[in-house]
Short mmCIF file of all heavy atoms in Angstrom, two decimals:
data_model
loop_
_atom_site.label_atom_id
_atom_site.label_comp_id
_atom_site.label_asym_id
_atom_site.label_seq_id
_atom_site.Cartn_x
_atom_site.Cartn_y
_atom_site.Cartn_z
N ASP A 94 73.07 -73.03 17.69
CA ASP A 94 74.01 -73.60 16.71
C ASP A 94 73.20 -74.34 15.67
O ASP A 94 73.61 -74.31 14.41
CB ASP A 94 74.96 -74.50 17.39
CG ASP A 94 75.92 -73.84 18.51
OD1 ASP A 94 76.14 -72.63 18.29
OD2 ASP A 94 76.34 -74.54 19.41
N GLU A 95 72.15 -75.02 16.02
CA GLU A 95 71.36 -75.78 15.09
C GLU A 95 70.69 -74.86 14.09
O GLU A 95 70.65 -75.09 12.87
CB GLU A 95 70.39 -76.64 15.77
CG GLU A 95 70.98 -77.76 16.63
CD GLU A 95 71.49 -77.19 17.95
OE1 GLU A 95 71.20 -76.09 18.25
OE2 GLU A 95 72.24 -77.98 18.69
N GLU A 96 70.13 -73.73 14.57
CA GLU A 96 69.51 -72.76 13.64
C GLU A 96 70.44 -72.24 12.65
O GLU A 96 70.06 -72.11 11.46
CB GLU A 96 68.88 -71.65 14.46
CG GLU A 96 67.62 -72.04 15.26
CD GLU A 96 67.22 -70.92 16.19
OE1 GLU A 96 68.07 -70.07 16.65
OE2 GLU A 96 66.05 -70.91 16.63
N PHE A 97 71.61 -71.90 13.07
CA PHE A 97 72.58 -71.30 12.13
C PHE A 97 73.02 -72.38 11.08
O PHE A 97 73.13 -72.06 9.98
CB PHE A 97 73.75 -70.73 12.85
CG PHE A 97 74.77 -70.16 11.82
CD1 PHE A 97 74.52 -68.97 11.17
CD2 PHE A 97 75.92 -70.84 11.54
CE1 PHE A 97 75.46 -68.45 10.30
CE2 PHE A 97 76.89 -70.35 10.64
CZ PHE A 97 76.56 -69.07 9.97
N ALA A 98 73.28 -73.54 11.62
CA ALA A 98 73.85 -74.61 10.69
C ALA A 98 72.80 -74.89 9.58
O ALA A 98 73.30 -75.23 8.43
CB ALA A 98 74.11 -75.89 11.43
N GLY A 99 71.53 -74.68 9.78
CA GLY A 99 70.53 -75.05 8.81
C GLY A 99 70.04 -73.81 8.00
O GLY A 99 69.13 -73.94 7.25
N ASP A 100 70.66 -72.66 8.18
CA ASP A 100 70.16 -71.44 7.55
C ASP A 100 71.27 -70.64 6.90
O ASP A 100 71.93 -69.85 7.58
CB ASP A 100 69.49 -70.53 8.52
CG ASP A 100 68.84 -69.31 7.91
OD1 ASP A 100 68.81 -69.22 6.69
OD2 ASP A 100 68.31 -68.42 8.64
N PRO A 101 71.57 -70.88 5.66
CA PRO A 101 72.66 -70.15 4.91
C PRO A 101 72.24 -68.81 4.36
O PRO A 101 72.90 -68.26 3.50
CB PRO A 101 73.04 -71.14 3.91
CG PRO A 101 71.77 -71.77 3.50
CD PRO A 101 70.89 -71.88 4.74
N THR A 102 71.10 -68.30 4.85
CA THR A 102 70.54 -67.09 4.21
C THR A 102 71.47 -65.93 4.20
O THR A 102 71.67 -65.24 3.16
CB THR A 102 69.20 -66.70 4.93
OG1 THR A 102 68.28 -67.80 4.89
CG2 THR A 102 68.60 -65.50 4.22
N VAL A 103 72.11 -65.69 5.38
CA VAL A 103 73.02 -64.50 5.46
C VAL A 103 74.27 -64.71 4.64
O VAL A 103 74.59 -63.77 3.88
CB VAL A 103 73.41 -64.29 6.94
CG1 VAL A 103 74.39 -63.17 7.04
CG2 VAL A 103 72.16 -64.00 7.84
N LEU A 104 74.79 -65.87 4.61
CA LEU A 104 75.92 -66.13 3.75
C LEU A 104 75.68 -65.97 2.26
O LEU A 104 76.46 -65.30 1.55
CB LEU A 104 76.56 -67.51 3.95
CG LEU A 104 77.12 -67.77 5.33
CD1 LEU A 104 77.44 -69.25 5.49
CD2 LEU A 104 78.48 -67.03 5.45
N ARG A 105 74.44 -66.41 1.92
CA ARG A 105 74.04 -66.21 0.45
C ARG A 105 73.83 -64.79 0.10
O ARG A 105 74.21 -64.30 -0.94
CB ARG A 105 72.80 -67.06 0.14
CG ARG A 105 72.32 -66.99 -1.27
CD ARG A 105 71.31 -68.00 -1.55
NE ARG A 105 70.17 -67.89 -0.68
CZ ARG A 105 69.79 -68.70 0.21
NH1 ARG A 105 70.55 -69.78 0.44
NH2 ARG A 105 68.70 -68.55 0.95
N ALA A 106 73.18 -64.06 1.05
CA ALA A 106 72.90 -62.61 0.81
C ALA A 106 74.16 -61.78 0.73
O ALA A 106 74.28 -60.90 -0.10
CB ALA A 106 72.02 -62.07 2.01
N LEU A 107 75.14 -62.11 1.56
CA LEU A 107 76.46 -61.41 1.55
C LEU A 107 77.15 -61.72 0.17
O LEU A 107 77.63 -60.80 -0.52
CB LEU A 107 77.31 -61.84 2.65
CG LEU A 107 76.90 -61.31 3.98
CD1 LEU A 107 77.69 -62.01 5.11
CD2 LEU A 107 77.09 -59.76 4.12
N SER A 108 77.10 -62.96 -0.25
CA SER A 108 77.70 -63.33 -1.48
C SER A 108 77.04 -62.67 -2.70
O SER A 108 77.67 -62.13 -3.59
CB SER A 108 77.73 -64.87 -1.66
OG SER A 108 78.17 -65.22 -2.95
N ASP A 109 75.69 -62.61 -2.68
CA ASP A 109 74.96 -62.02 -3.76
C ASP A 109 75.27 -60.48 -3.84
O ASP A 109 75.13 -59.83 -4.88
CB ASP A 109 73.50 -62.19 -3.58
CG ASP A 109 72.98 -63.63 -3.83
OD1 ASP A 109 73.85 -64.39 -4.40
OD2 ASP A 109 71.96 -63.97 -3.41
N ALA A 110 75.58 -59.89 -2.64
CA ALA A 110 75.86 -58.45 -2.65
C ALA A 110 77.27 -58.17 -3.05
O ALA A 110 77.70 -56.98 -3.09
CB ALA A 110 75.59 -57.92 -1.25
N GLY A 111 78.10 -59.22 -3.32
CA GLY A 111 79.45 -58.93 -3.87
C GLY A 111 80.59 -59.32 -2.87
O GLY A 111 81.81 -59.17 -3.23
N ALA A 112 80.30 -59.77 -1.64
CA ALA A 112 81.30 -60.14 -0.71
C ALA A 112 81.98 -61.43 -1.16
O ALA A 112 81.32 -62.46 -1.53
CB ALA A 112 80.74 -60.38 0.67
N THR A 113 83.26 -61.43 -1.21
CA THR A 113 84.05 -62.65 -1.60
C THR A 113 84.84 -63.27 -0.47
O THR A 113 85.38 -64.40 -0.62
CB THR A 113 85.04 -62.23 -2.73
OG1 THR A 113 85.91 -61.20 -2.30
CG2 THR A 113 84.31 -61.77 -3.98
N SER A 114 84.88 -62.63 0.70
CA SER A 114 85.71 -63.09 1.78
C SER A 114 84.84 -63.03 3.01
O SER A 114 84.62 -61.87 3.57
CB SER A 114 87.01 -62.35 1.96
OG SER A 114 87.71 -62.75 3.11
N VAL A 115 84.29 -64.03 3.56
CA VAL A 115 83.55 -64.13 4.76
C VAL A 115 84.05 -65.16 5.70
O VAL A 115 84.23 -66.34 5.33
CB VAL A 115 82.00 -64.33 4.45
CG1 VAL A 115 81.25 -64.34 5.71
CG2 VAL A 115 81.54 -63.33 3.53
N VAL A 116 84.28 -64.79 6.93
CA VAL A 116 84.67 -65.67 7.99
C VAL A 116 83.60 -65.78 9.00
O VAL A 116 83.05 -64.78 9.50
CB VAL A 116 85.99 -65.22 8.70
CG1 VAL A 116 86.34 -66.07 9.82
CG2 VAL A 116 87.16 -65.25 7.65
N VAL A 117 83.25 -66.92 9.39
CA VAL A 117 82.29 -67.14 10.51
C VAL A 117 82.99 -67.21 11.82
O VAL A 117 83.95 -68.09 11.95
CB VAL A 117 81.38 -68.44 10.27
CG1 VAL A 117 80.44 -68.67 11.45
CG2 VAL A 117 80.63 -68.27 8.98
N LEU A 118 82.56 -66.41 12.80
CA LEU A 118 83.28 -66.44 14.14
C LEU A 118 82.17 -66.74 15.15
O LEU A 118 81.25 -65.95 15.36
CB LEU A 118 83.83 -65.04 14.32
CG LEU A 118 84.83 -64.89 15.53
CD1 LEU A 118 86.11 -65.70 15.23
CD2 LEU A 118 85.14 -63.43 15.74
N HIS A 119 82.39 -67.83 15.91
CA HIS A 119 81.36 -68.15 16.89
C HIS A 119 81.91 -68.98 18.09
O HIS A 119 82.78 -69.85 17.85
CB HIS A 119 80.31 -69.03 16.18
CG HIS A 119 79.33 -69.77 17.16
ND1 HIS A 119 78.50 -69.05 17.99
CD2 HIS A 119 79.13 -71.05 17.43
CE1 HIS A 119 77.85 -69.96 18.66
NE2 HIS A 119 78.21 -71.20 18.35
N THR A 120 81.50 -68.62 19.25
CA THR A 120 81.80 -69.44 20.41
C THR A 120 80.80 -69.11 21.51
O THR A 120 80.18 -68.04 21.57
CB THR A 120 83.18 -69.19 20.95
OG1 THR A 120 83.52 -70.05 22.00
CG2 THR A 120 83.37 -67.70 21.48
N ARG A 121 80.60 -70.03 22.46
CA ARG A 121 79.84 -69.78 23.66
C ARG A 121 80.72 -69.61 24.86
O ARG A 121 80.30 -69.39 26.00
CB ARG A 121 78.83 -70.88 23.88
CG ARG A 121 77.94 -71.19 22.71
CD ARG A 121 76.58 -70.67 22.86
NE ARG A 121 75.67 -71.05 21.80
CZ ARG A 121 75.04 -70.22 21.07
NH1 ARG A 121 75.13 -68.91 21.24
NH2 ARG A 121 74.29 -70.63 20.10
N ASP A 122 82.02 -69.80 24.67
CA ASP A 122 83.09 -69.75 25.68
C ASP A 122 83.71 -68.42 25.88
O ASP A 122 84.39 -67.92 24.98
CB ASP A 122 84.12 -70.77 25.34
CG ASP A 122 85.16 -71.05 26.50
OD1 ASP A 122 85.28 -70.03 27.30
OD2 ASP A 122 85.87 -72.02 26.36
N ARG A 123 83.41 -67.66 26.97
CA ARG A 123 83.90 -66.34 27.23
C ARG A 123 85.42 -66.33 27.25
O ARG A 123 86.08 -65.35 26.82
CB ARG A 123 83.32 -65.70 28.56
CG ARG A 123 81.94 -65.27 28.30
CD ARG A 123 81.41 -64.58 29.60
NE ARG A 123 82.29 -63.47 30.00
CZ ARG A 123 82.15 -62.26 29.56
NH1 ARG A 123 81.21 -61.98 28.61
NH2 ARG A 123 82.84 -61.24 29.92
N THR A 124 86.05 -67.34 27.78
CA THR A 124 87.51 -67.41 27.87
C THR A 124 88.06 -67.44 26.40
O THR A 124 89.06 -66.75 26.16
CB THR A 124 87.92 -68.62 28.66
OG1 THR A 124 87.36 -68.61 29.92
CG2 THR A 124 89.49 -68.75 28.70
N LEU A 125 87.52 -68.26 25.58
CA LEU A 125 87.94 -68.27 24.21
C LEU A 125 87.71 -66.93 23.51
O LEU A 125 88.52 -66.42 22.76
CB LEU A 125 87.28 -69.42 23.48
CG LEU A 125 87.61 -69.58 21.94
CD1 LEU A 125 89.14 -69.87 21.79
CD2 LEU A 125 86.79 -70.64 21.33
N ALA A 126 86.58 -66.38 23.72
CA ALA A 126 86.21 -65.06 23.18
C ALA A 126 87.20 -63.91 23.55
O ALA A 126 87.36 -62.97 22.89
CB ALA A 126 84.72 -64.66 23.51
N ASP A 127 87.74 -64.09 24.73
CA ASP A 127 88.74 -63.11 25.24
C ASP A 127 90.11 -63.37 24.86
O ASP A 127 91.11 -62.76 25.43
CB ASP A 127 88.55 -63.01 26.74
CG ASP A 127 89.03 -61.69 27.33
OD1 ASP A 127 88.90 -60.69 26.59
OD2 ASP A 127 89.54 -61.59 28.44
N SER A 128 90.35 -64.37 23.98
CA SER A 128 91.75 -64.74 23.54
C SER A 128 92.12 -64.04 22.25
O SER A 128 91.26 -63.79 21.35
CB SER A 128 91.81 -66.25 23.36
OG SER A 128 91.11 -66.64 22.23
N GLU A 129 93.36 -63.74 22.08
CA GLU A 129 93.77 -63.03 20.82
C GLU A 129 93.68 -63.85 19.65
O GLU A 129 93.38 -63.40 18.51
CB GLU A 129 95.26 -62.57 21.16
CG GLU A 129 95.72 -61.56 20.02
CD GLU A 129 94.84 -60.22 20.00
OE1 GLU A 129 94.50 -59.89 21.05
OE2 GLU A 129 94.58 -59.82 18.87
N SER A 130 93.89 -65.13 19.79
CA SER A 130 93.72 -66.07 18.65
C SER A 130 92.28 -66.05 18.11
O SER A 130 92.10 -66.10 16.85
CB SER A 130 94.20 -67.50 19.03
OG SER A 130 93.31 -68.00 20.04
N PHE A 131 91.27 -66.00 18.92
CA PHE A 131 89.92 -66.00 18.48
C PHE A 131 89.57 -64.78 17.74
O PHE A 131 88.87 -64.76 16.71
CB PHE A 131 89.00 -66.21 19.70
CG PHE A 131 87.56 -66.31 19.34
CD1 PHE A 131 87.01 -67.48 18.83
CD2 PHE A 131 86.70 -65.20 19.47
CE1 PHE A 131 85.61 -67.53 18.48
CE2 PHE A 131 85.34 -65.30 19.13
CZ PHE A 131 84.80 -66.47 18.62
N VAL A 132 90.02 -63.58 18.23
CA VAL A 132 89.59 -62.30 17.64
C VAL A 132 90.43 -61.96 16.39
O VAL A 132 90.25 -60.91 15.85
CB VAL A 132 89.65 -61.18 18.70
CG1 VAL A 132 88.73 -61.44 19.85
CG2 VAL A 132 91.07 -60.85 19.12
N ALA A 133 91.47 -62.78 16.06
CA ALA A 133 92.33 -62.43 14.97
C ALA A 133 91.65 -62.01 13.69
O ALA A 133 92.04 -61.04 13.03
CB ALA A 133 93.33 -63.61 14.74
N PRO A 134 90.59 -62.74 13.32
CA PRO A 134 89.87 -62.24 12.15
C PRO A 134 89.25 -60.92 12.27
O PRO A 134 89.18 -60.16 11.22
CB PRO A 134 88.70 -63.36 11.89
CG PRO A 134 89.27 -64.63 12.62
CD PRO A 134 90.08 -63.97 13.75
N LEU A 135 88.84 -60.48 13.36
CA LEU A 135 88.25 -59.22 13.64
C LEU A 135 89.34 -58.14 13.47
O LEU A 135 89.01 -56.99 13.11
CB LEU A 135 87.60 -59.12 14.96
CG LEU A 135 86.30 -59.93 15.22
CD1 LEU A 135 85.84 -59.85 16.63
CD2 LEU A 135 85.16 -59.41 14.30
N ARG A 136 90.54 -58.41 13.78
CA ARG A 136 91.63 -57.38 13.70
C ARG A 136 91.87 -57.04 12.25
O ARG A 136 92.41 -55.97 11.95
CB ARG A 136 92.92 -57.97 14.30
CG ARG A 136 92.86 -58.48 15.76
CD ARG A 136 92.61 -57.30 16.66
NE ARG A 136 92.77 -57.72 18.07
CZ ARG A 136 92.25 -57.08 19.15
NH1 ARG A 136 91.52 -56.02 18.90
NH2 ARG A 136 92.51 -57.50 20.30
N GLU A 137 91.39 -57.90 11.29
CA GLU A 137 91.68 -57.62 9.90
C GLU A 137 90.34 -57.25 9.16
O GLU A 137 90.43 -56.88 8.00
CB GLU A 137 92.27 -58.86 9.23
CG GLU A 137 93.63 -59.25 9.74
CD GLU A 137 94.63 -58.21 9.58
OE1 GLU A 137 94.65 -57.47 8.53
OE2 GLU A 137 95.55 -58.07 10.40
N ALA A 138 89.23 -57.33 9.89
CA ALA A 138 87.96 -57.16 9.21
C ALA A 138 87.65 -55.73 8.77
O ALA A 138 88.08 -54.74 9.48
CB ALA A 138 86.83 -57.66 10.15
N THR A 139 86.99 -55.52 7.68
CA THR A 139 86.38 -54.18 7.24
C THR A 139 84.93 -54.10 7.52
O THR A 139 84.36 -53.02 7.47
CB THR A 139 86.72 -54.02 5.81
OG1 THR A 139 86.04 -55.00 5.00
CG2 THR A 139 88.23 -54.05 5.53
N GLY A 140 84.35 -55.28 7.81
CA GLY A 140 82.88 -55.31 8.08
C GLY A 140 82.47 -56.52 8.92
O GLY A 140 83.10 -57.52 8.84
N VAL A 141 81.54 -56.31 9.83
CA VAL A 141 81.11 -57.35 10.79
C VAL A 141 79.57 -57.40 10.77
O VAL A 141 79.00 -56.31 10.89
CB VAL A 141 81.63 -57.17 12.18
CG1 VAL A 141 81.14 -58.36 13.08
CG2 VAL A 141 83.12 -57.19 12.20
N TRP A 142 79.01 -58.56 10.61
CA TRP A 142 77.58 -58.67 10.61
C TRP A 142 77.21 -59.65 11.80
O TRP A 142 77.70 -60.77 11.92
CB TRP A 142 77.00 -59.33 9.27
CG TRP A 142 75.48 -59.36 9.28
CD1 TRP A 142 74.74 -60.37 9.63
CD2 TRP A 142 74.65 -58.24 8.95
NE1 TRP A 142 73.38 -60.04 9.52
CE2 TRP A 142 73.34 -58.69 9.09
CE3 TRP A 142 74.87 -56.97 8.57
CZ2 TRP A 142 72.18 -57.84 8.89
CZ3 TRP A 142 73.72 -56.18 8.28
CH2 TRP A 142 72.44 -56.63 8.46
N ILE A 143 76.27 -59.21 12.58
CA ILE A 143 75.81 -59.92 13.81
C ILE A 143 74.37 -60.36 13.48
O ILE A 143 73.39 -59.60 13.36
CB ILE A 143 75.86 -59.11 15.09
CG1 ILE A 143 77.28 -58.57 15.29
CG2 ILE A 143 75.53 -59.96 16.24
CD1 ILE A 143 77.42 -57.64 16.41
N SER A 144 74.14 -61.66 13.42
CA SER A 144 72.87 -62.24 12.95
C SER A 144 71.87 -62.26 14.11
O SER A 144 72.23 -62.03 15.26
CB SER A 144 73.01 -63.70 12.45
OG SER A 144 73.87 -63.72 11.28
#
Side-chain angles (χ1 to χ4, degrees):
D94 297 333
E95 294 78 12
E96 286 171 338
F97 178 75
D100 184 7
T102 303
V103 175
L104 290 169
R105 184 169 58 248
L107 290 169
S108 176
D109 289 346
T113 59
S114 176
V115 181
V116 171
V117 176
L118 193 67
H119 168 64
T120 187
R121 306 254 184 239
D122 184 343
R123 283 183 60 83
T124 301
L125 179 60
D127 204 30
S128 69
E129 194 57 39
S130 60
F131 182 80
V132 303
L135 292 173
R136 303 295 190 200
E137 300 296 326
T139 60
V141 179
W142 185 265
I143 306 174
S144 298

